[in-house]
Amino acid sequence: PTTTLIVSILVGYLGIDRFMIGDTGLGIGKLLTCGGLGIWTIVDWFLISGATKRKNLEKVQQFLY
């Protein structure tokens, strides 16, 4: 989550943070709108850590089952 947060802060307006966690559709949307004109980028600074933790938990669960 820390790495994704750093990427989000530095180049979040390009959607790279969303591509990293596997949200391709949101990444493309964020890329095309330049981070939702900056608003989406700022909101993601607060939400991206939780999204990363959920995605990591899903991957662990898939591995175990």
Side-chain angles (χ1 to χ4, degrees):
T2 305
T3 304
T4 309
L5 179 62
I6 292 169
V7 169
S8 183
I9 291 170
L10 296 176
V11 288
Y13 63 93
L14 295 175
I16 294 172
D17 51 348
R18 288 295 178 169
F19 286 117
M20 284 178 61
I21 64 172
D23 287 339
T24 307
L26 291 175
I28 291 171
K30 203 170 172 184
L31 176 65
L32 294 176
T33 62
C34 293
L37 300 175
I39 297 168
W40 191 354
T41 301
I42 294 170
V43 170
D44 254 357
W45 292 345
F46 298 99
L47 301 178
I48 199 70
S49 293
T52 304
K53 289 177 185 177
R54 279 192 304 280
K55 293 288 184 172
N56 287 341
L57 182 60
E58 289 174 11
K59 289 179 183 178
V60 169
Q61 289 175 340
Q62 287 177 354
F63 178 75
L64 293 176
Y65 296 111

